[in-house]
Amino acid sequence: MVTTAGSAPTPGTILHLREHGFRVVATDVDPAAPGLYLADRGYLVPPGDSEAFLPRMRSLCAEEQAVAVVPLVDEELVRVGELAKDGVAVLLPRLDFVTTCLDKYVLMQQLEDAGIGVPRTWLASEWPTGAADASPDGLIVKPRSGRGSRGVMVVDSTRDMARVVSESGYAADELIVQERVTGPEYTVSVVVWRDGDVQAVVPKEVLLKQGVTKYAITRRNPEVVRTCRAVQTALRADGPFNVQLCLDGRGRPRVFEINPRFSSTAALTVAAGVDEIAGLLRQAVCDGPRLDDEWREGVAMVRRWTDEFMPEARFAAHGISPAPAPSSSGAGFALPGSVSTGDQPPIVPVRAR
């Protein structure tokens, strides 16, 4: 089961797994999510941070006899990990690593304590006067929790700090302030599973990011690799994670965020030679072979829209429309049972609030 079927990279992940012989069930909150129609079956689920999410996922896993779940969005990571208690392999790091990474302030403290380079970081409620003067490239203000690209603001002067915090919509202790590091940015896939042995580290230099990485190139950088291996040694993820870092003026990696899940650039990792999602899935469900840390440098990713085509009869057999159907009350969350790319009949829609 693959979640977040509407995210830009997920349809490609679904098609890739199906090409490798996996039966894939996709989920999303939006009936227009394209991955729902490219999987073997597709289901609508409540938002990952809602109380209704886990019961719905648990029911779907049982109904579809899912042996593994690949969660791809931060809001659902803690809850979806509960499925491991049902015997479902959840392709995530261990829970304590997940919760640490989801609190960016705690993460920075733990990395610094382990001797891993990070930007200087404060809570906005504890931000010291004069700190901006010690950071000539400015400061980054962002929510302490939540996806890294949301709510990020650049502050150039001390005078702007109070205004930015007051206009952010967050309490001061819900924001962190970080020294801005302006060197080359990397997003790094770290491939590791429950034995804790790092199987591969694939650094990718980010050329353009707009919410997610749009353009990137695989780059060999021994210091970046050393830093990412040190994260696993210090914090014991024992599952796949993605490190985001920048190089400072002396070329030293400074980690500013870790995503405790597969990266949105996993397709580039595959193109370079390390099939991290399919490889770890095989290890999780059928004792598959470990992956080799052999990959090609200089592979460039250009993220683009693409189209898939199918017969009208197959599309109609999905049983739902990509256009969201309004509920009779104008509120609530509609949960059509499923869509399918096979010949199974659609399940009667169920409504939940």
Side-chain angles (χ1 to χ4, degrees):
M1 185 171 291
V2 177
T3 74
T4 326
S7 177
T10 306
T13 296
I14 290 169
L15 293 173
H16 177 73
L17 291 175
R18 293 187 71 194
E19 289 168 0
H20 280 257
F22 292 95
R23 179 176 182 271
V24 181
V25 175
T27 67
D28 201 87
V29 300
D30 183 359
L36 295 174
Y37 302 90
L38 301 176
D40 292 282
R41 287 183 79 83
Y43 290 91
L44 294 184
V45 297
D49 55 1
S50 74
E51 292 295 331
F53 174 76
L54 180 58
R56 174 67 169 166
M57 289 293 291
R58 179 167 279 137
S59 173
L60 292 177
C61 284
E63 180 179 330
E64 292 290 344
Q65 299 182 320
V67 297
V69 174
V70 180
L72 296 174
V73 66
D74 291 351
E75 290 86 345
E76 65 195 20
L77 300 185
V78 172
R79 284 187 169 88
V80 81
E82 292 290 313
L83 295 173
K85 297 177 181 177
D86 302 333
V88 178
V90 182
L91 273 288
L92 284 179
R94 298 191 188 276
L95 178 61
D96 56 351
F97 183 86
V98 171
T99 55
T100 292
C101 292
L102 294 179
D103 187 327
K104 298 178 177 64
Y105 184 63
V106 170
L107 174 63
M108 293 301 106
Q109 290 180 312
Q110 292 198 16
L111 291 176
E112 188 171 28
D113 289 346
I116 296 169
V118 298
R120 286 177 298 169
T121 303
W122 305 267
L123 287 175
S125 58
E126 300 173 353
W127 181 73
T129 302
D133 297 333
S135 180
D137 292 316
L139 296 162
I140 299 293
V141 180
K142 60 185 178 181
R144 182 174 173 170
S145 62
R147 285 182 245 173
S149 61
R150 295 187 175 183
V152 177
M153 299 159 281
V154 179
V155 178
D156 294 320
S157 70
T158 304
R159 182 178 59 241
D160 292 334
M161 180 62 71
R163 176 184 57 79
V164 166
V165 171
S166 66
E167 294 178 357
S168 68
Y170 293 88
D173 61 358
E174 296 175 333
L175 293 169
I176 63 171
V177 181
Q178 286 188 313
E179 171 189 17
R180 188 181 181 202
V181 182
T182 59
E185 180 177 343
Y186 282 76
T187 179
V188 189
S189 288
V190 183
V191 183
V192 59
W193 193 231
R194 293 295 186 250
D195 64 359
D197 187 23
V198 176
Q199 300 175 37
V201 179
V202 184
K204 294 152 280 189
E205 183 178 353
V206 177
L207 302 183
L208 176 65
K209 179 185 286 186
Q210 294 175 334
V212 297
T213 299
K214 298 288 190 180
Y215 293 80
I217 302 176
T218 53
R219 299 282 193 209
R220 297 195 184 276
N221 186 308
E223 283 304 303
V224 169
V225 172
R226 183 196 63 77
T227 294
C228 293
R229 287 181 173 272
V231 171
Q232 165 61 15
T233 299
L235 301 187
R236 292 296 304 209
D238 297 355
F241 63 99
N242 165 247
V243 177
Q244 297 186 49
L245 59 84
C246 287
L247 305 183
D248 66 13
R250 296 166 58 184
R252 300 174 301 183
R254 307 278 288 280
V255 177
F256 62 85
E257 193 158 317
I258 296 177
N259 297 315
R261 52 172 170 76
F262 290 111
S263 168
S264 65
T265 60
L268 177 54
T269 309
V270 174
V274 178
D275 195 345
E276 57 177 329
I277 299 183
L280 288 187
L281 266 174
R282 291 190 181 99
Q283 292 174 41
V285 302
C286 58
D287 198 26
R290 61 174 283 122
L291 297 169
D292 295 323
D293 195 9
E294 297 180 3
W295 49 275
R296 296 184 300 281
E297 184 176 23
V299 179
M301 180 188 78
V302 178
R303 180 152 282 156
R304 63 184 177 88
W305 286 100
T306 189
D307 302 309
E308 295 292 330
F309 303 94
M310 63 186 69
E312 181 181 4
R314 177 176 160 187
F315 183 79
H318 292 162
I320 63 172
S321 167
S327 65
S328 58
S329 64
F333 188 83
L335 291 179
S338 75
V339 294
S340 170
T341 59
D343 297 326
Q344 303 99 324
I347 296 174
V348 176
V350 176
R351 291 193 181 274
R353 297 188 185 279

